[in-house]
Amino acid sequence: MADIYQRLAKFVDDLPAGYPSTESGVELRILRKLFTPQEAQLFMQLSLIPEEPRVIAFRAKQPLEAVSQRLQEMEKKGLIFGIHRPGREPEYIAQQFVVGFWEGQVNRLDEELVAAVDEYLPTFVDMDLWQKAPQLRVIPVGESIPVQTAVLPYERAEEIVRSHSQFAVTNCICRQERHVAGQGCDKPMETCMSFGVVADNIVRTGRGRSVSREEMLAILEQADQAGLVLQPGNTQNPNYICACCGCCCAVLRNLNQHPQPGLIASSPYIAAHDPEICSGCGDCVERCQMNALSVPNGAAELNLSRCIGCGLCVSTCTTGALTLQRKPQEQQASIPVDSMAADMQLAQARGKMSRKDLAAMLRQSKSDRLAARQSDE
């Protein structure tokens, strides 16, 4: 019989984002650090479909009271995602490694976990896969978008914020992780923004605090001032926005190592530069997180293959030499409608799940719900 953590690793690897194995077995060390054997066993009874504790208890063949208690504890530990609606039973979902139960460890990091994840990330992050199905996309800071440019609501951070009514902010897991490793920067820490059910989950589990819409908009302004790249979830209705720096963010760090990050990042915009009016001040060089700009001869030079269209250079350019332009339609990535569609895109890119598999998962969940109800009666 396979070790419980080997089975858990296989289960997580079968989720859309994956969890590839390594020769060193570091991925198993991470799981042993985060999950007790009992939690590992129960985690494998969950799916991507939100389900009530009685359905999970039925599937696990365990008493409902014990399963309900353990699910609550696992949610507080950031291992699973819980949805709590007034007047209804809570529902739980199996989280992926990233974005998922790794981010759930914010404010809980220690040197052992950070060292293990640092060792694992080069194996986990696959830039070829990211180009096909990114989990995050890049949107520009608001002031950098030309007024005359038609902008879709999900391309503007302010519009994403205004479309929601429930907000939370938490510390950035990446900057926190780099600080634990002794390599952190001085960028603001409390910048990870979430909305709706994700905001509710973060506040309820104590990983962050509730904020108003006005405070959330102020955090966006702070992110621009600090030179942070805005990366929401890769959907048309994202429930979080990360504010990322190139020195700490795992995604940007890996993009930076690629010779042409502009071809990998999902972004509808790209910078343009007019050397005739450039003052050569170099502010843009410091702001760019992808090293796309330099000032070799008194005026900035722009390497378009490294530009990810974040707009940080534009919002600080005093002469107007730098602007953002919308990419040609054929160069713009298609943005999934919601998180389930994004997961399907990622799973299909990895060859792990088809729409037929998802339909089977839905049928199984429906069947287990009915069986659990009948067993209660």
Side-chain angles (χ1 to χ4, degrees):
M1 181 177 179
D3 174 88
I4 184 68
Y5 294 104
Q6 291 177 328
R7 288 188 282 131
L8 177 59
K10 172 66 166 59
F11 181 88
V12 178
D13 189 44
D14 285 339
L15 297 175
Y19 196 64
S21 62
T22 65
E23 290 186 8
S24 70
V26 63
E27 74 282 5
L28 301 180
R29 299 205 308 271
I30 294 170
L31 296 180
R32 291 190 184 100
K33 175 77 173 174
L34 298 179
F35 293 81
T36 67
Q38 294 78 16
E39 290 168 343
Q41 187 66 53
L42 189 59
F43 186 94
M44 291 186 285
Q45 305 307 316
L46 279 70
S47 74
L48 298 177
I49 310 299
E51 294 173 320
E52 302 93 337
R54 60 186 175 83
V55 179
I56 300 165
F58 171 80
R59 192 178 295 139
K61 298 180 174 60
Q62 296 179 22
L64 175 57
E65 184 176 351
V67 167
S68 295
Q69 180 64 33
R70 182 154 288 146
L71 289 170
Q72 292 175 40
E73 293 169 356
M74 291 173 70
E75 183 188 14
K76 288 181 181 178
K77 289 176 65 176
L79 301 177
I80 62 176
F81 187 81
I83 301 172
H84 297 248
R85 297 186 178 95
R88 294 178 57 175
E89 284 189 73
E91 297 177 313
Y92 296 96
I93 306 171
Q95 290 204 104
Q96 307 185 90
F97 174 53
V98 173
V99 174
F101 60 80
W102 163 238
E103 286 76 9
Q105 304 315 301
V106 68
N107 304 330
R108 300 168 56 92
L109 301 178
D110 60 31
E111 292 182 3
E112 181 185 5
L113 179 59
V114 165
V117 171
D118 260 5
E119 181 183 340
Y120 184 53
L121 280 179
T123 297
F124 177 79
V125 179
D126 182 341
M127 284 289 107
D128 290 337
L129 177 62
W130 189 271
Q131 186 173 17
K132 298 174 186 175
Q135 288 182 277
L136 302 175
R137 56 192 173 91
V138 176
I139 54 175
V141 293
E143 292 183 9
S144 66
I145 305 176
V147 175
Q148 69 272 19
T149 301
V151 183
L152 296 171
Y154 54 82
E155 294 175 348
R156 189 186 289 275
E158 291 85 352
E159 290 299 319
I160 295 172
V161 168
R162 294 185 190 282
S163 70
H164 291 276
S165 59
Q166 188 174 12
F167 310 95
V169 62
T170 189
N171 288 328
C172 169
I173 185 73
C174 294
R175 280 192 285 283
Q176 199 171 72
E177 183 257 351
R178 290 289 84 198
H179 273 280
V180 173
Q183 302 172 18
C185 67
D186 60 357
K187 302 290 188 184
M189 184 68 74
E190 195 185 40
T191 58
C192 201
M193 298 161 271
S194 60
F195 323 111
V197 294
V198 175
D200 174 73
N201 179 273
I202 283 174
V203 173
R204 188 164 22 80
T205 56
R207 299 201 306 276
R209 62 185 179 91
S210 178
V211 296
S212 66
R213 180 181 285 113
E214 289 68 29
E215 288 176 283
M216 189 63 65
L217 292 171
I219 292 170
L220 286 178
E221 184 177 348
Q222 178 194 42
D224 183 11
Q225 293 172 355
L228 299 176
V229 177
L230 300 180
Q231 295 192 102
N234 188 36
T235 75
Q236 294 181 23
N237 185 28
N239 47 30
Y240 63 89
I241 299 177
C242 297
C244 308
C245 57
C247 53
C248 296
C249 170
V251 172
L252 295 186
R253 278 192 290 147
N254 277 274
L255 277 175
N256 233 328
Q257 293 171 15
H258 194 279
Q260 297 181 310
L263 303 182
I264 303 295
S266 176
S267 172
Y269 295 96
I270 195 164
H273 179 243
D274 183 352
E276 296 297 321
I277 59 174
C278 177
S279 67
C281 68
D283 288 349
C284 56
V285 176
E286 183 179 348
R287 297 265 286 178
C288 182
Q289 304 297 304
M290 288 292 112
N291 300 306
L293 286 150
S294 60
V295 186
N297 298 303
E301 289 188 2
L302 174 62
N303 182 347
L304 290 177
S305 69
R306 296 200 63 84
C307 175
I308 60 174
C310 68
L312 288 174
C313 60
V314 176
S315 64
T316 199
C317 182
T318 57
T319 66
L322 286 159
T323 56
L324 277 188
Q325 296 181 355
R326 184 178 284 279
K327 293 177 180 177
Q329 188 62 43
E330 64 273 12
Q331 294 180 20
Q332 296 182 45
S334 174
I335 309 300
V337 174
D338 54 28
S339 57
M340 183 59 77
D343 280 346
M344 282 301 303
Q345 182 188 72
L346 182 54
Q348 289 174 340
R350 294 183 62 234
K352 282 288 185 178
M353 184 183 294
S354 65
R355 296 191 179 277
K356 184 177 179 181
D357 295 326
L358 178 61
M361 185 186 298
L362 287 165
R363 286 195 301 271
Q364 185 63 55
S365 179
K366 184 176 181 180
S367 173
D368 288 346
R369 287 175 190 268
L370 179 59
R373 189 178 300 117
Q374 290 173 341
S375 112
D376 288 343
E377 296 171 354

